[in-house]
Amino acid sequence: MIGRLTLSDFRNHEDALIRPDHAFIVLTGENGAGKTNILEAVSMLAPGRGLRGAALRDMARQGGGGGFGIAADVGGVMLGTGISAETPDRRQVRIGGVNGSANALADHLSIVWLTPAMDRLFMDSPGGRRRFLDRLTLALHPTHAAHSARYEAAMRARNRLLGDLRAADPLWIAALEGQMGEHGMAIAAARTDMVDRLNATLEGQPDAPFARPLIALEGEDAGEQLAARLASERRRDAAAGRTLTGPHRTDLSVRHIAKDQAAALCSTGEQKALLLSILLAHAALVAERTGQPPVLLLDEVAAHLDPSRRAALFDRLAATGSQTWMTGTEYSLFNNLYENTHLEVTSGQVFRSAI
């Protein structure tokens, strides 16, 4: 869990210090006060670009010095990330006072989030679902981010060479395809393992009050034959201007079991329920497999749930053992929550509530 969180010039927070003393942290305030910005700051303590996927320079406070800093005490290890005004597009990471990589953050903290923008995940593009899939996978397989980064780098280099196939060195292309095959196999294996374990965990969960989903992977990643397949498809990929085979084309399929219906065809409320079921099962799975439950970031999660479903959600969240950060415009949404750290956010200022 995060024992102490500090923000410096991040979004609309010039200087903020948060010391949670309960597993539930509730952030309330008006729209635009900076509640989601705090969740985004926590999400930056994981590999990637955070829950908004924003450019680094856009996270720096307007009117500030051009950089930002985020630091947290996680089990006695200090994790930090940020940018400087001189290099606003280069992320800096420190772990235990030593410079490190963003991917190495996953060795210390697992973070999963749910935002209002994800309510329509099943109607989103395959790329959006892949990013969601990979965040879930990363919590179980910390090396997943490194394999993904190396696969993407090799694919970009291959695509550039295929832009002028006649002049390209075939041995260099083959070497890149070999790298894509190696890292692509690791990516596919980690995703498959996560989906299999998640489905097994979901089988033991009740259908109510949240719908129970069945998860599968779609798309052809070519498996162990990826390098050979890529070699045989160079001309096709050159004509298309991109690589058409591999794990970067995988899609996440979700079905509502009780209705035997694709999630994309379900109502908005049912899709939200399916997402919550996946998130809760995943948190329980991570806690079981690693002994360290993930930190959960739930933005406006209680707003559209009736009182009985809110109570059921809080019970399920407590059972995960996760540290859970939640936002809402009104504290009344969390009245029947267990002991929690209640913070009021106003215009980038964070105050401990007297409630």
Side-chain angles (χ1 to χ4, degrees), residues 293-343:
V295 170
L296 303 181
L297 309 177
L298 307 179
D299 195 15
E300 301 288 350
V301 70
H304 303 296
L305 297 177
D306 58 49
S308 64
R309 283 186 169 82
R310 284 203 300 270
L313 173 62
F314 298 153
D315 285 341
R316 295 277 296 276
L317 288 171
T320 67
S322 293
Q323 185 183 58
T324 304
W325 299 64
M326 293 184 285
T327 67
T329 54
E330 301 175 5
Y331 188 68
S332 60
L333 294 171
F334 307 95
N335 276 342
N336 57 349
L337 185 61
Y338 303 89
E339 286 188 326
N340 63 84
T341 299
H342 178 207
L343 303 171

Side-chain angles (χ1 to χ4, degrees), residues 52 181 235 241 248 266 270 287 346 349:
R52 284 191 175 105
R235 292 189 180 280
H248 64 287
C266 294
E270 288 172 329
T346 305
Q349 300 292 313

Side-chain angles (χ1 to χ4, degrees), residues 128-186:
R129 288 187 291 275
R130 268 194 305 275
R131 288 189 291 274
F132 177 70
L133 168 67
D134 285 335
R135 285 198 300 275
L136 298 182
T137 303
L138 180 61
L140 288 179
H141 299 273
T143 60
H144 184 66
H147 285 298
S148 297
R150 290 165 186 165
Y151 175 88
E152 293 287 342
M155 182 173 65
R156 287 194 299 269
R158 177 180 182 268
N159 288 342
R160 286 195 296 270
L161 290 175
L162 293 182
D164 188 2
L165 186 56
R166 291 184 179 180
D169 181 354
L171 293 179
W172 180 229
I173 297 178
L176 293 171
E177 290 166 347
Q179 293 176 32
M180 291 176 65
E182 175 188 351
H183 297 297
M185 282 179 57

